[in-house]
Amino acid sequence: MSLSPRRNQWRRRPLPPGGSPPPAPASGDAAAPSPVHKDQGSVVQAALYRDGRRVSTPDSLAETFRQLREYPDGMAWIGLHRPTEAEVLSLAAEFDLHELAVEDALEAHQRPKLERYGDTLFVVLRAARYLDAQEEVEFGELHVFVGRDFLITVRHGAAPDLSAVRHRMEKSPELLALGPEAVLYAILDAVVDGYAPVVAGVQNDIDEIETEVFGGDPAVSRRIYELAREMVEFQRATRPLVGMLHALMAGFAKYGTDEELQSYLRDVADHVTHTSERVDGFRQALADILTVNATLVTQQQNEEMRAMAEAGFEQNEEIKKISSWAAILFAPTLVGTIYGMNFESMPELRWAFGYPFAVALMAVVCVSLYFIFKRRDWL
């Protein structure tokens, strides 16, 4: 993937009269990470390299452009975090960046992709990190412009931490001397390595969810759904990356990629393929867990409904018994109440057999009701 000189090389402004290149730092300072330029807005890190060693740490984009013109064989590595439109447009004018790539870098929310615009590669990556406290996955977006003598990173989000990549590359000047292509592969490696803690965290979450499912936790369904959505986002970050890396590997012979870089890229491709397969497995596992959870919830609901039905049946049987005895006791009460009214015109009051008749009537009614209710299994 050897890159040719960029098209606007001839457009660089000449040095001011009497201008001279800035002195190179001492060898002991060459590998030191560049400071964060808080006074330059979105410029997080900017450095100029020559033969794999840092020769300058400009304080602004304009100074970076000026010094890069002074070093025809140098390389500029510029890191931006949520840049302003003016900053991106100044980079586009200086490095002849394609307007479509510039628009993507400004708007963000792009899918992972690898595109070539003339002599410049434009790479979009989705980084991820696992937040232990919240037990969730946070995604960031990284745009990378790669030219012959420059590499520009535009971060949207906290991940990934490119300062560690810069520090590691500066500790290996022989690798950094291979140019922007080596830095791109180091960034790819850092993004893919950042997936490993996420995979471990998600695996732990799935293990906990399985325990909660079989423990009958009612809130587990929401957790399964939220984790499944994160896995969809994770899959969108990793699956296109597999094709991107294979596209880079397909261009090894065409662009004369260094053999050491080829080994690095193959290793990164193996890791991202493994990660993508794990993410696919997570999605399937979550789908299975959700099905099992739905089945267990349905069984629990059926058991509760059956228990309620049995309780209702038992209550109904008790009501039948109570109603039956109430009816049996009501019959003699009714007879006794009628004959207890003591009206003078009641013929049975002076009848010699009135009392035995009333008692017999009560007994007959009670016994009859008892056998009727018994036959109907109310008693």
Side-chain angles (χ1 to χ4, degrees), residues 147-160:
R148 181 190 67 85
D149 57 354
F150 69 90
L151 183 134
I152 304 168
T153 60
V154 180
R155 282 194 299 127
H156 296 274

Side-chain angles (χ1 to χ4, degrees), residues 14-290:
L15 292 174
S20 59
S27 59
D29 299 329
S34 63
V36 176
H37 304 301
K38 295 183 179 179
D39 58 336
Q40 296 303 322
S42 303
V43 182
V44 177
Q45 290 179 324
L48 195 66
Y49 298 90
R50 191 175 185 182
D51 296 329
R53 299 186 181 277
R54 182 184 301 201
V55 296
S56 178
T57 305
D59 295 330
S60 65
L61 289 178
E63 182 66 15
T64 303
F65 302 156
R66 186 188 70 81
Q67 293 185 15
L68 185 58
R69 298 188 195 100
E70 297 171 355
Y71 288 93
D73 56 346
M75 179 191 74
W77 183 351
I78 302 172
L80 304 176
H81 180 250
R82 299 188 186 278
T84 64
E85 182 176 358
E87 290 170 335
V88 176
L89 292 180
S90 68
L91 290 168
E94 176 67 22
F95 297 111
D96 197 23
L97 305 180
H98 196 278
E99 59 182 6
L100 294 179
V102 172
E103 181 180 356
D104 289 344
L106 286 172
E107 294 181 356
H109 304 292
Q110 303 295 319
R111 63 176 180 82
K113 60 182 177 180
L114 170 68
E115 295 181 352
R116 179 180 293 276
Y117 296 101
D119 301 324
T120 303
L121 281 180
F122 177 61
V123 182
V124 179
L125 303 172
R126 297 296 304 277
R129 65 175 183 171
Y130 186 80
L131 304 178
D132 291 321
Q134 296 84 357
E135 292 188 339
E136 62 183 26
V137 183
E138 181 184 68
F139 295 93
E141 189 168 332
L142 176 65
H143 299 185
V144 185
F145 296 90
V146 186
R148 181 190 67 85
D149 57 354
F150 69 90
L151 183 134
I152 304 168
T153 60
V154 180
R155 282 194 299 127
H156 296 274
D161 181 12
L162 296 181
S163 61
V165 178
R166 187 186 293 265
H167 184 64
R168 179 165 62 89
M169 292 295 290
E170 289 181 349
K171 291 176 64 176
S172 303
E174 69 283 354
L175 184 60
L176 187 56
L178 296 176
E181 185 178 6
V183 179
L184 173 62
Y185 289 175
I187 292 174
L188 289 169
D189 184 52
V191 171
V192 173
D193 285 348
Y195 293 154
V198 178
V199 170
V202 172
Q203 181 64 67
N204 184 65
D205 286 346
I206 291 178
D207 293 341
E208 292 179 355
I209 286 174
E210 289 178 343
T211 302
E212 293 173 358
V213 165
F214 292 102
D217 189 345
V220 70
S221 297
R222 180 180 181 87
R223 188 177 181 187
I224 295 173
Y225 175 74
E226 291 176 349
L227 188 57
R229 289 187 60 185
E230 291 177 351
M231 289 305 96
V232 171
E233 193 71 17
F234 201 6
Q235 196 174 50
R236 291 174 181 172
T238 57
R239 181 172 290 179
L241 193 54
V242 176
M244 292 166 54
L245 293 174
H246 282 86
L248 286 175
M249 289 189 294
F252 282 165
K254 179 178 180 181
Y255 297 105
T257 304
D258 184 86
E259 292 185 1
E260 187 175 5
L261 293 183
Q262 293 183 26
S263 301
Y264 286 145
L265 189 62
R266 291 192 186 96
D267 182 64
V268 174
D270 290 340
H271 289 172
V272 76
T273 300
H274 176 71
T275 301
S276 180
E277 292 173 352
R278 291 291 303 276
V279 175
D280 292 342
F282 288 156
R283 284 200 64 186
Q284 184 61 46
L286 288 170
D288 295 341
I289 292 173
L290 190 60

